[in-house]
């Protein structure tokens, strides 16, 4: 369970006013170290939904006013979530700032230093507001700051990709090309992106709760997410991208539980399925040649009453992946894209992680990021390939949504 009560008890012992220091005496480094010693509080899909429904208000408010008035209940949900974020976000940012300072090789890249500065700015902004959100006005002011942080961090994925590109270029100049041996940068990037997903989920959920309610949604979570509908949209997007590059795209056939719905974040599932379909379409066209009679890509949606997971399989006949490359497909530092395309992507200014403006093969981030999205709520992504024939990708998504975030230290 999201331990709001424990969190609120800790924060209530602190002063009601935020940490305000003049710029000449503010020691951000020591504040970062102090907050990085605090444990992070993980949450789950179910907890996010229950909090959004107000099921934990009794842990914070002892009066019963919110039980009689929906407007009061909504205001108190927002104050409760804002109070949690005011406590939690500086801790999560501090962990990542220290990680950005300490990671070998990558910490020296200009783009990575820029990301550290951006995280530090957001950390400072959060410390400038009261530690306890006690009124509707304070909640609204806090929301403005959090929204600016959300927008400021929108381009971080591309910025970190630039950092990886800069590292690839630097290591090539030194004659080192075996990026799979760089275990520490890889482990760091896994930690960083899982943490980034978590921060954006928490902020995105809070900001969505402040908007007008949408049918079947609690914040960014759709209680009746349809894998079939999301796969259909991903097919449209991937086909558009494939047609733009090759002038044609393979057919995609969907079978299985087309009527299935379950609670999930639709944008996460769209990102994952779009990445897999992009890869399958590109492999199929490259393997069979332009203007060929392409074999269809097959998507199977599987679920049963007793299943612990919803499973989506994407199968293609695109020639497969050599066994020697199987470990590399999960590397942030490995890509099969043309160097000119990589250079163009590094200059890409799009701030939407899920944009369709990028080419079919870019910075090599698609699969590892997709796996992070799947793992964030307790699922996974695996790839099985038969060289000379094709590839099967399996997406596992937990049905119950009760798995806690895998928060990195």
């Amino acid at each position: 369970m999201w331990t709001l009560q424990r969190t609120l008890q800790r924060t209530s012992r602190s002063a009601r006013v935020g940490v305000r220091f003049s710029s000449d005496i503010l020691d951000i480094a020591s504040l970062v170290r102090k907050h990085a010693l605090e444990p992070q509080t993980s949450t789950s899909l179910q907890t996010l939904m229950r909090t959004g429904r107000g099921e934990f208000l009794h842990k914070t408010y002892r009066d019963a006013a919110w039980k009689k008035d929906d407007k009061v209940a909504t205001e108190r949900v927002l104050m409760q979530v804002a109070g949690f974020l005011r406590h939690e976000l500086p801790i999560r940012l501090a962990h990542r700032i220290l990680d950005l300072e300490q990671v070998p090789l990558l910490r020296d890249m200009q783009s990575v230093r820029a990301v550290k500065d951006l995280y530090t700015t957001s950390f400072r902004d959060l410390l400038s507001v009261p530690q306890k959100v006690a009124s509707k006005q304070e909640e609204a002011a806090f929301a403005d700051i959090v929204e600016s942080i959300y927008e400021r961090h929108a381009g971080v994925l591309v910025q970190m990709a630039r950092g990886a590109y800069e590292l690839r270029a630097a290591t090539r100049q030194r004659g080192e090309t075996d990026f799979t041996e760089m275990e520490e940068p890889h482990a760091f990037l896994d930690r960083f992106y899982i943490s980034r997903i978590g921060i954006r989920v928490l902020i995105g959920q809070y900001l969505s709760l402040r908007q007008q309610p949408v049918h079947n949604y609690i914040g960014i979570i759709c209680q009746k997410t349809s894998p079939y509908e999301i796969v259909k949209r991903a097919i449209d997007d991937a086909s558009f991208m494939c047609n733009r590059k090759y002038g044609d795209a393979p057919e995609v056939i969907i079978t299985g539980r087309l009527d299935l719905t379950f609670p999930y974040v639709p944008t996460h599932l769209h990102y994952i399925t779009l990445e897999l379909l992009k890869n399958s379409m590109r492999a199929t066209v490259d393997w069979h040649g332009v203007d060929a009679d392409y074999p269809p890509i097959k998507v199977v949606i599987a679920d049963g009453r007793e299943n612990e997971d919803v499973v989506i399989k994407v199968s293609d006949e695109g020639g497969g992946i050599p066994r020697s490359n199987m470990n590399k497909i999960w590397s942030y530092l490995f890509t099969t894209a043309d160097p000119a395309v990589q250079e163009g992507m590094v200059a890409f200014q799009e701030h939407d992680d899920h944009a369709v403006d990028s080419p079919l093969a870019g910075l090599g981030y698609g699969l590892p990021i997709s796996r992070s999205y799947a793992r964030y709520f307790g699922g996974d992504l695996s790839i099985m390939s038969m060289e000379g024939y094709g590839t099967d990708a399996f997406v596992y998504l937990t049905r119950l949504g009760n798995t806690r975030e895998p928060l990195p230290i």
Side-chain angles (χ1 to χ4, degrees), residues 59-77:
K59 293 181 177 292
T60 305
Y61 303 101
R62 299 193 180 280
D63 63 30
W66 54 271
K67 294 182 179 179
K68 303 172 184 177
D69 189 327
D70 288 346
K71 184 178 179 182
V72 172
T74 299
E75 290 174 358
R76 291 194 175 180
V77 164

Side-chain angles (χ1 to χ4, degrees), residues 25-37:
I25 62 170
L26 180 59
D27 185 358
I28 285 294
S30 64
L31 288 171
V32 166
R33 288 193 295 272
K34 176 184 173 183
H35 281 78
L37 293 174

Side-chain angles (χ1 to χ4, degrees), residues 1-2 48 59 103 133 147 152 172 178 208 246 268 289 300 320 367 374 377 379-380 399 408:
M1 181 183 293
W2 188 1
L48 289 173
K59 293 181 177 292
V103 59
V133 181
E147 186 170 8
R152 182 187 302 146
R172 284 196 183 98
D178 191 357
S208 292
Y246 297 108
H268 289 193
V300 181
L367 278 177
F377 284 125
D380 208 348
R399 297 175 81 248

Side-chain angles (χ1 to χ4, degrees), residues 13 97 137 150 178-179 194 219 243 257 265 316:
R13 290 196 293 267
I97 292 167
Q137 292 73 27
Y150 191 81
D178 191 357
F179 304 118
I194 279 285
N243 272 293
R257 283 290 309 278
V265 180
D316 66 60

Side-chain angles (χ1 to χ4, degrees), residues 336-408:
T336 57
D338 182 272
V341 173
Q342 295 179 50
E343 190 172 351
M345 282 292 289
V346 165
F348 190 54
Q349 296 300 316
E350 177 60 61
H351 276 189
D352 182 0
D353 288 356
H354 307 154
V356 296
D357 295 336
S358 57
L360 271 177
L363 289 162
Y365 266 41
L367 278 177
I369 291 288
S370 295
R371 185 168 67 173
S372 292
Y373 271 117
R375 287 178 171 178
Y376 178 72
F377 284 125
D380 208 348
L381 171 62
S382 64
I383 304 288
M384 299 289 291
S385 192
M386 181 184 292
E387 188 179 5
Y389 183 77
T391 300
D392 290 349
F394 297 86
V395 183
Y396 302 92
L397 309 168
T398 56
R399 297 175 81 248
L400 297 179
N402 56 2
T403 306
R404 289 179 178 272
E405 301 170 273
L407 291 178

